[in-house]
Amino acid sequence: MDSWYANVLACYPENRGQGLGSKLLEVADEIARDAGYNTMSVIVADENVGARRLYERKGYSELDKAPCVKDGWATETESWVLLVKSLS
């Protein structure tokens, strides 16, 4: 499946709750459509509940999951979750 992958979406905690994430995702959707894609994808850490909630509100759903290879990295992440949505 070819999809437009949104690699990084972030904002400072004090700027959350203002609709910035939704606006960024809308711009990504527009860029993807203009490039001829009909599917969007993102990867989110399993413990990032706020981001996942945003993606699901914007129409994304879980397609797959893979374990986080920590290799000495101090993180609470256990899995990376692939979320996708149709642009049609």
Side-chain angles (χ1 to χ4, degrees):
M1 163 184 31
D2 285 342
S3 73
W4 186 268
Y5 173 66
N7 187 33
V8 176
L9 179 70
C11 68
Y12 291 109
E14 61 270 19
N15 295 323
R16 292 183 184 147
Q18 300 176 30
L20 299 173
S22 291
K23 289 185 190 317
L24 288 170
L25 288 171
E26 289 167 12
V27 169
D29 288 355
E30 186 177 318
I31 292 169
R33 281 189 192 96
D34 289 348
Y37 290 85
N38 57 16
T39 305
M40 288 290 300
S41 60
V42 296
I43 294 175
V44 65
D46 59 356
E47 92 282 354
N48 193 342
V49 176
R52 183 149 183 187
R53 188 170 41 239
L54 167 65
Y55 296 135
E56 289 173 348
R57 273 196 324 265
K58 299 305 285 179
Y60 288 81
S61 59
E62 183 176 327
L63 178 66
D64 206 354
K65 188 183 287 191
C68 176
V69 178
K70 298 181 183 189
D71 196 25
W73 181 37
T75 181
E76 294 180 20
T77 301
E78 293 297 324
S79 299
W80 297 110
V81 182
L82 173 62
L83 303 171
V84 297
K85 84 169 198 176
S86 173
L87 293 174
S88 54

